């Protein structure tokens, strides 16, 4: 058989692409015509009138046709060629990949500086706060939950409960007793860890789906307690005017204080300083989480977590106390959730049960799964993509030009979130970084080439 | 064919008290009885094999010794200690190691990491030394040290399961059907490795097998289990020569 025949056609085949595009257009018209083309409105006499929206339909169909044509004519052939050349080419682009962690870290450290120097203090707030801090909170939550779900393999759908415990611990203890953030941060972590153990005990025997359901219920219980225990938590109204964080009492962020940062550094008052400070604070907390996790992975407890995820029975017969192993995973994961929670309360200045709904847990689990169940870098990428993506959606005002002035991209957040998840799972079924990094190596560095030991050979 | 088959002679420790002693053990799965009162002894330095048909209760006995499931009546004694009601991980800490049915290696972990898990008890104190020993015993594993467990071939996985159990420096090694699904040459390799460990290091082995011919040749003594009861026992040689054993487990294969 000749090799030529096997070769996929690499060059663009415009006729086939055009045929395909027209077909896709017809289908799109069939689907979206009735769905979007007609809209019933009540008029002044309370009658339903049908309104036509052919403009939008035409735009959508045009997007489908052009998109399909481009995919068919250019993208698919390009993918095929790239796959065919994948072998040697991939080693060239690996400078970025190899140094991804260093580059990423440098970027994170410099991010506020870059933004401020580009946009000035006032304009930087949105980028530091909505993007930087918001994403990093989820990176931290993802890394915390990663211990439970990614490493120990315990599907916890109620992680937000520990986030809530941390947030309310800070909110209540700081507003009632005036304790400082630096005292309450570890305290919230400890309280959350305690709740982690309390949840851990009853679910020790459960696995998989059953564990997921019970943890989900636990998350809801905590939220309902927060709503109904009005005397303490102020119910659904929440707790407001939670004190800001200060820098160990030396520097504060309240304009009225004599120690206000602007007065000390001789800068004009601006709320940007507090945001930048918070950015570095959450960055430090997240990196602390990463550091602890990476260290633990090399210790007996971390190895036990990963072994537990793979085979609980085998673990026990190797002398591992699976009860303690699970409880420490729950406790540590919860502790980091608690840290993130107290940070969240300090940043918002306001907490209410609204912030701790099941959807939050789902988003955090999604981040861990998309990241590749256990990979720190993967979780960070997933958090940036999912949270950054939904934040960017707010910015896309040009969509209003296309879909009319009442179009509010925010309403489509969950839809797009879901679509993105499906797409990522199809494109990378094992998450962004599906390959688990081994923690043990032979001492004599035998020259076993990396490609040989990849999964799939053998 | 004559009945002259080379088998193992009795080891020295045979006369002393048994290392492992199972007495009148009954094990249930819910209401279904799987072991109906089993007595088994393993002396220090011995290789003892347990043979029997599918569903006879061999794996159940091995897991009962390991405390999961626990025996409902009867006792399991190891080195003079009653371990019948001990949790599995504490039994493992007495240095009973196991290569269970289905091997149960950690698929996403590398060969080396699997071996690390085996050495958890000593917190890796003798790790480097022991890994070298395992690589001498199973050179295949050295070639595959950085490969993920789940991508090993069946025979390699079996070697890994045994090596992982040995990493715990066990006083008693329990193997459940190490020859399952393996080519004759690999079976021979694995059985040779077990014999060497027993001869050179005095390792005590409790071996569950379907491959009765090889198992009885390797073992000092053997037990035959039928339907949750031990129906016969004796030296490897005796059982190999026994007409009932021959009819049930040896005719029509394995030679
Ligand atoms: N978890 C379980 N729940 C219920 N019944 C079980 C369970 N495990 C084993 N059994 C039953 O107990 C009996 C003994 O099973 P066991 O696995 O010990 O057999 P075996 O001798 O190891 O067989 P094989 O040679 O096929 O491995 C069988 O009838 C089996 O169906
Ligand atoms: Mg069995």
């Amino acid at each position: 058989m000749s090799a030529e025949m096997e070769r996929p056609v690499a060059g663009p085949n415009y006729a086939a692409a055009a045929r395909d595009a027209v077909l896709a257009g017809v289908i799109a018209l069939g689907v979206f015509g009735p769905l979007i083309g007609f809209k019933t409105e009540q008029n002044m006499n309370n009658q339903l009138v049908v309104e036509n929206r052919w403009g939008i339909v035409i735009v959508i169909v045009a997007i489908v046709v052009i998109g399909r044509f481009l995919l068919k004519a250019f993208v698919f052939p390009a993918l095929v060629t790239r796959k065919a050349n994948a072998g040697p080419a991939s080693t060239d682009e690996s400078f970025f990949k190899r140094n991804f962690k260093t580059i990423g870290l440098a970027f994170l450290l410099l991010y506020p500086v870059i933004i401020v120097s580009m946009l000035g203090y006032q304009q930087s707030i949105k980028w530091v706060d909505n993007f930087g801090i918001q994403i990093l909170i989820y990176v931290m939550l993802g890394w915390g939950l990663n211990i439970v779900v990614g490493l120990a393999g315990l599907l916890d759908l109620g992680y937000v409960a520990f986030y809530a415990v941390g947030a309310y611990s800070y909110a209540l203890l700081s507003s009632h007793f005036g304790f400082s953030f630096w005292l309450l941060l570890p305290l919230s972590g400890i309280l959350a860890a305690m709740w982690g153990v309390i949840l851990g005990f009853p679910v020790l025997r459960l696995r998989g789906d059953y564990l997921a359901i019970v943890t989900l219920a636990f998350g809801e219980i905590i939220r309902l307690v927060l709503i109904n225990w009005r005397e303490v938590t102020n119910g659904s109204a929440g707790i407001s005017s939670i004190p800001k964080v200060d820098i160990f009492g030396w520097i504060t962020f309240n304009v009225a204080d004599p120690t206000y940062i602007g007065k000390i550094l001789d800068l004009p008052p601006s709320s940007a300083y507090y945001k930048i400070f918070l950015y570095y604070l959450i960055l430090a907390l997240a990196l602390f989480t990463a550091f602890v996790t990476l260290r633990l992975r090399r210790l007996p407890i971390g190895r036990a977590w990963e072994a537990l995820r793979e085979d609980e029975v085998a673990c026990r017969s190797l002398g591992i106390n699976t009860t303690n192993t699970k409880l420490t995973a729950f406790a540590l994961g919860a502790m980091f959730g608690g840290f993130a929670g107290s940070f969240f309360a300090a940043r918002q200045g306001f907490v209410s049960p609204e912030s701790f709904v099941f959807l939050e847990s789902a988003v955090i689990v999604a981040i861990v799964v998309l990241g590749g169940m256990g990979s720190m870098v993967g979780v960070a990428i997933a958090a940036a993509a999912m949270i950054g993506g939904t934040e960017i959606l707010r910015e896309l005002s040009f969509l209003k030009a296309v879909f009319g002035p009442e179009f509010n991209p925010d309403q489509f957040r969950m839809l797009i979130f879901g679509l993105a998840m499906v797409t990522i799972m199809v494109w990378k079924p094992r998450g962004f970084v599906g390959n688990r990094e081994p923690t043990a190596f032979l001492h004599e560095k035998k020259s076993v080439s990396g490609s040989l030991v990849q999964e799939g050979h053998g | 064919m004559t009945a002259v088959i080379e088998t193992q002679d009795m080891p020295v420790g045979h006369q002393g008290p048994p290392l492992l002693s199972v007495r009148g053990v009954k094990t249930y799965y819910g209401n279904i009885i799987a072991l109906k009162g089993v007595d088994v002894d393993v002396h220090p330095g011995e290789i003892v094999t347990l043979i029997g048909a599918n569903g006879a209760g061999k794996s159940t006995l091995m897991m009962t010794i390991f405390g999961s499931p626990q025996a409902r009546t009867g006792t399991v004694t190891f080195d003079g200690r009653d371990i019948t009601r001990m949790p599995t991980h504490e039994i493992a800490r007495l240095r009973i190691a196991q290569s269970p049915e289905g091997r149960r290696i950690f698929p996403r972990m590398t060969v080396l990491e699997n071996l690390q898990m085996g050495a958890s008890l000593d917190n890796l104190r003798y790790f480097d030394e022991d890994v070298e020993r395992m690589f001498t015993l199973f050179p295949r594993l050295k070639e595959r040290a950085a490969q993920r467990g789940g991508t090993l071939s069946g025979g390699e996985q079996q070697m890994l399961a045994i090596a992982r159990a040995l990493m715990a420096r066990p006083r008693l090694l329990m193997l459940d059907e190490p020859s399952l699904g393996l080519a004759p040459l690999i079976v021979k390799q694995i059985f040779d490795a077990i014999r060497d460990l027993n001869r050179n290091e005095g390792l005590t082995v409790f071996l569950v097998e379907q491959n009765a011919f090889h198992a009885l040749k390797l073992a000092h003594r053997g037990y035959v289990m039928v339907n949750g009861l031990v129906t016969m026992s004796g030296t490897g040689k005796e059982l190999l020569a026994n007409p009932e054993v021959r009819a049930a487990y040896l005719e029509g294969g394995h030679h």
Side-chain angles (χ1 to χ4, degrees):
Chain A
M1 186 166 62
S2 83
E4 301 293 305
M5 301 263 298
E6 292 258 288
R7 268 273 177 54
V9 195
N13 181 346
Y14 298 115
R19 226 177 304 126
D20 212 57
V22 170
L23 187 67
V26 171
I27 294 173
L29 189 65
V31 173
F32 294 112
L35 273 179
I36 295 178
F38 302 109
K39 185 184 178 193
T40 51
E41 242 355 280
Q42 257 172 356
N43 68 5
M44 266 179 295
N45 308 327
N46 249 352
Q47 291 165 318
L48 279 182
V49 287
V50 176
E51 218 178 81
N52 291 332
R53 300 196 293 181
W54 295 117
I56 300 180
V57 175
I58 289 169
V59 170
I60 291 178
V61 171
I63 290 175
V64 168
V65 171
I66 295 169
R68 183 72 199 169
F69 181 79
L70 292 177
L71 270 180
K72 213 34 193 180
F74 302 107
V75 179
F76 289 158
L79 282 180
V80 170
T81 349
R82 216 181 64 182
K83 248 190 196 144
N85 305 339
S90 59
T91 43
D92 286 341
E93 48 140 7
S94 66
F95 171 80
F96 181 72
K97 265 192 185 161
R98 248 183 301 134
N99 298 303
F100 184 79
K101 282 177 202 166
T102 324
I103 296 171
L105 199 60
F107 174 75
L108 285 177
L109 284 171
L110 293 177
Y111 176 75
V113 181
I114 298 169
I115 295 292
V116 168
S117 54
M118 273 166 46
L119 302 172
Y121 279 115
Q122 279 320 309
Q123 294 304 308
S124 74
I125 294 176
K126 185 178 84 188
W127 291 95
V128 172
D129 195 23
N130 293 0
F131 286 87
I133 296 177
Q134 185 74 4
I135 290 175
L136 282 173
I137 287 181
Y138 281 90
V139 170
M140 170 147 187
L141 288 170
W143 280 347
L145 185 62
N146 182 48
I147 295 176
V148 186
V149 177
L151 294 184
L154 305 164
L155 184 50
D156 180 353
L157 292 183
Y159 191 62
V160 80
F162 308 122
Y163 189 41
V165 168
Y168 271 84
S169 304
Y170 178 68
L172 290 170
L173 295 174
S174 69
S175 21
H176 287 307
F177 303 103
F179 292 149
S180 106
F181 176 79
W182 303 102
L183 174 71
L184 291 177
L185 178 73
L187 194 66
S188 323
I190 291 168
L191 284 172
M194 212 181 71
W195 280 101
V197 173
I198 290 174
L199 166 68
F201 262 115
V203 302
L204 276 173
R205 288 164 173 281
L206 305 178
R207 290 194 65 74
D209 336 6
Y210 303 102
L211 177 67
I213 290 170
V214 175
T215 52
L216 190 156
F218 180 78
E220 285 302 284
I221 289 171
I222 295 272
R223 192 173 65 87
L224 290 173
V225 167
L226 293 179
I227 292 178
N228 291 307
W229 196 12
R230 290 213 187 79
E231 306 80 63
V232 176
T233 63
N234 199 23
S236 12
I239 302 168
S240 47
S241 41
I242 299 165
K244 284 180 175 171
V245 188
D246 52 39
I247 304 179
F248 304 114
W250 304 323
I251 303 177
T252 59
F253 294 95
N254 294 319
V255 190
D257 292 348
T259 45
Y260 177 64
I261 183 166
K263 291 178 190 159
I264 290 180
L265 299 179
D266 226 6
L267 291 165
S270 159
S271 55
Y273 312 137
Y274 188 50
K275 300 296 181 201
I276 293 170
F277 166 69
L278 286 178
Y279 174 89
Y280 281 111
L281 179 59
I282 185 69
L283 181 61
L285 285 172
L287 290 179
F288 174 66
T289 312
F291 174 75
V292 171
T293 311
L294 286 177
R295 287 305 296 265
L296 286 176
R297 264 197 76 200
R298 277 150 216 281
L299 294 178
I301 182 66
R303 285 199 298 270
W305 286 337
E306 289 196 83
L308 186 71
R309 177 187 63 194
E310 313 250 301
D311 195 324
E312 196 173 335
V313 178
C315 276
R316 260 188 243 123
S317 63
L318 292 173
I320 291 165
N321 185 338
T322 49
T323 307
N324 290 354
T325 308
K326 282 186 190 178
L327 286 180
T328 41
F330 271 120
L332 258 129
M335 185 183 81
F336 290 120
F339 289 160
S342 63
F343 173 85
F344 172 79
R347 172 222 191 189
Q348 301 293 96
F350 168 74
V351 291
S352 81
E354 275 289 283
S355 309
F356 308 106
V357 290
F358 168 66
L359 188 62
E360 289 295 312
S361 290
V363 167
I364 305 166
V365 169
I367 285 172
V368 175
V369 173
L370 292 178
M373 294 287 249
S375 159
M376 315 282 293
V377 174
V379 166
I381 297 174
M386 302 313 285
I387 305 303
T390 49
E391 287 295 323
I392 279 183
L393 217 59
R394 292 183 217 273
E395 309 293 320
L396 300 181
S397 39
F398 76 85
L399 286 177
K400 286 203 165 101
V402 179
F403 293 108
E406 335 117 76
F407 179 79
N408 177 7
D410 234 22
Q411 290 174 343
F412 292 83
R413 245 185 66 164
M414 283 335 284
L415 183 71
I416 291 180
F417 201 92
L419 267 177
M421 267 183 67
V422 171
T423 317
I424 293 170
M425 281 336 254
V426 169
W427 170 52
K428 291 215 149 184
R430 304 207 285 150
F432 283 116
V433 185
N435 260 1
R436 179 184 161 274
E437 256 180 62
T439 57
F441 303 94
L442 277 185
H443 286 310
E444 18 162 12
K445 282 267 184 286
K446 296 247 327 204
S447 56
V448 180
S449 89
S451 58
L452 210 103
V453 297
Q454 288 288 310
E455 278 173 80
H457 291 258
Chain B
M1 195 184 132
T2 55
V4 182
I5 297 161
E6 206 187 316
T7 49
Q8 298 254 46
D9 293 326
M10 281 296 151
V12 212
H14 181 55
Q15 270 69 36
L19 183 62
L20 174 79
S21 162
V22 177
R23 284 285 167 274
V25 159
K26 290 187 184 170
T27 302
Y28 291 74
Y29 290 111
N31 287 326
I32 302 160
I33 187 159
L35 298 181
K36 303 170 180 168
V38 172
D39 295 336
V40 164
D41 280 327
V42 181
H43 292 271
E46 256 189 332
I47 301 179
V48 172
T49 188
L50 177 68
I51 59 174
N54 291 124
K58 306 181 297 294
S59 302
T60 304
L61 176 59
M62 218 177 104
M63 292 316 290
T64 302
I65 294 169
F66 240 109
S68 139
Q70 288 185 348
R72 197 172 289 180
T73 56
T75 54
V76 181
T77 322
F78 181 74
D79 197 19
R81 277 175 80 165
D82 186 351
I83 61 169
T84 323
R85 300 272 171 270
M86 258 191 204
T88 302
H89 67 269
E90 282 180 26
I91 295 175
R93 287 175 189 182
L94 299 174
R95 311 268 162 188
I96 303 181
Q98 169 201 47
S99 158
E101 186 162 47
R103 299 167 192 142
R104 288 186 174 269
I105 56 167
F106 301 113
R108 295 231 291 165
M109 294 184 155
T110 65
V111 167
L112 207 59
E113 286 173 311
N114 267 278
L115 294 177
Q116 266 192 344
M117 292 313 300
S120 306
L121 288 185
D122 288 314
N123 207 357
L124 307 187
R125 199 171 311 134
Y126 313 108
F127 183 67
D128 294 338
E129 189 184 322
D130 285 357
V131 162
E132 269 320 304
R133 276 177 51 219
M134 292 311 130
F135 286 168
T136 326
L137 200 60
F138 302 114
R140 289 287 282 205
L141 293 184
K142 184 164 190 174
E143 291 166 33
R144 306 269 154 194
Q147 190 174 324
R148 276 157 225 277
T151 64
L152 295 176
S153 81
E156 290 163 349
Q157 290 194 5
Q158 189 62 61
M159 294 176 202
L160 180 56
I162 298 174
R164 186 182 65 182
L166 286 170
M167 288 300 286
R169 304 198 150 195
R171 302 179 59 196
L172 171 65
L173 176 67
M174 301 205 289
L175 305 171
D176 196 341
E177 300 201 35
S179 72
L180 188 72
L182 302 187
L185 196 67
I186 309 277
V187 174
K188 189 174 171 326
Q189 264 181 36
I190 287 181
F191 277 29
D192 283 348
I194 297 169
R195 181 182 287 118
D196 289 349
L197 285 166
N198 173 261
R199 285 216 183 123
N200 303 337
E201 304 178 22
L203 181 69
T204 312
V205 180
F206 183 63
L207 173 70
V208 169
E209 257 304 334
Q210 287 284 343
N211 197 333
F213 179 70
H214 280 109
L216 289 172
K217 252 178 66 175
L218 172 71
H220 300 105
R221 290 191 304 115
Y223 291 90
V224 179
M225 184 175 258
V226 177
N227 251 329
L229 276 175
V230 170
T231 55
M232 248 183 282
S233 66
T235 65
K237 198 179 279 181
E238 283 164 8
L239 289 176
L240 271 175
N242 184 303
E244 272 177 69
V245 174
R246 295 187 67 85
Y249 305 106
L250 296 174
E251 301 296 292
H254 300 311
H255 293 254

